[in-house]
Amino acid sequence: MTDSSFGKSGGLADRILALDYGRARIGIALASPAVGLAQPLCTLERINRNEDMRRLRELAREHGVGQIIVGLPLRLDGTRGEMAEEAQAFAQRVRKQVGVPVEMVDERLTSWEAERLLEESQGRIMKDPSPQRGAPKKDLGRPSVDAVAAAVILKEYLERQHSNGSET
């Protein structure tokens, strides 16, 4: 339950991993609260529960993660639906199997904002078909909507932490 096994060297244990949970993919972003910059890291294609958790543990160790944020996909009216319940169960598994604190964060409209941000930064490239049909997005050098959505979740979390905690 403690994060003592993660990132003891070099003060990396304060890094936060954000997860945008989905049935097919998990978008992942990373930030250091000291820097306050959330960056898309990668998108994991879901395989099965055990393999997904193994890969998340590996990422947490590799990046010295001391906390994980999981997006909570509430409906626009703030109520919980089926996806919110799935994300909650996923967060509980992550907490048990990765062994760092896990917090759920409202993620309403983050996928929409991620798509908007990608379109602004990538322009029409997002709309044009790849010259190699079926080429994975990773190979095209662009972050996926899932990873950018995780970065948006993390950015909003860090902004709330900053405004709530350090009013100096």
Side-chain angles (χ1 to χ4, degrees):
M1 289 290 224
T2 87
D3 61 325
S4 60
S5 63
F6 291 93
K8 275 278 190 181
S9 63
L12 294 178
D14 65 341
R15 286 193 174 167
I16 301 173
L17 200 67
L19 307 176
D20 180 33
Y21 170 82
R23 290 179 177 140
R25 290 174 301 282
I26 301 169
I28 301 176
L30 184 68
S32 171
V35 176
L37 181 63
Q39 296 184 321
L41 184 62
C42 63
T43 299
L44 291 183
E45 295 292 328
R46 303 285 309 273
I47 296 173
N48 61 48
R49 287 180 182 178
N50 290 336
E51 182 61 18
D52 296 344
M53 288 301 136
R54 185 196 66 73
R55 293 184 297 165
L56 289 172
R57 275 193 305 273
E58 170 105 6
L59 280 170
R61 284 189 191 102
E62 180 181 327
H63 293 284
V65 171
Q67 182 177 10
I68 295 176
I69 303 301
V70 176
L72 180 62
L74 297 173
R75 294 181 179 131
L76 289 178
D77 66 2
T79 60
R80 288 175 178 246
E82 185 180 340
M83 281 304 291
E85 297 305 320
E86 283 185 36
Q88 183 83 42
F90 172 77
Q92 289 172 350
R93 275 194 308 278
V94 170
R95 184 178 293 115
K96 279 183 181 176
Q97 295 191 23
V98 178
V100 298
V102 175
E103 189 173 333
M104 300 291 295
V105 176
D106 182 355
E107 69 162 45
R108 282 178 281 183
L109 300 178
T110 55
S111 291
W112 174 84
E113 185 175 346
E115 288 174 5
R116 186 184 60 77
L117 288 169
L118 280 173
E119 285 179 5
E120 283 179 10
S121 66
Q122 305 293 331
R124 288 188 35 187
I125 296 170
M126 291 296 293
K127 303 278 186 207
D128 291 342
S130 170
Q132 300 171 351
R133 295 227 178 244
K137 287 182 183 178
K138 191 184 248 182
D139 292 344
L140 299 175
R142 294 190 297 263
S144 73
V145 170
D146 301 302
V148 174
V152 170
I153 292 166
L154 187 49
K155 177 183 78 79
E156 291 174 358
Y157 172 80
L158 291 171
E159 287 171 355
R160 273 196 306 279
Q161 294 299 325
H162 181 72
S163 66
N164 290 340
S166 58
E167 307 265 324
T168 57

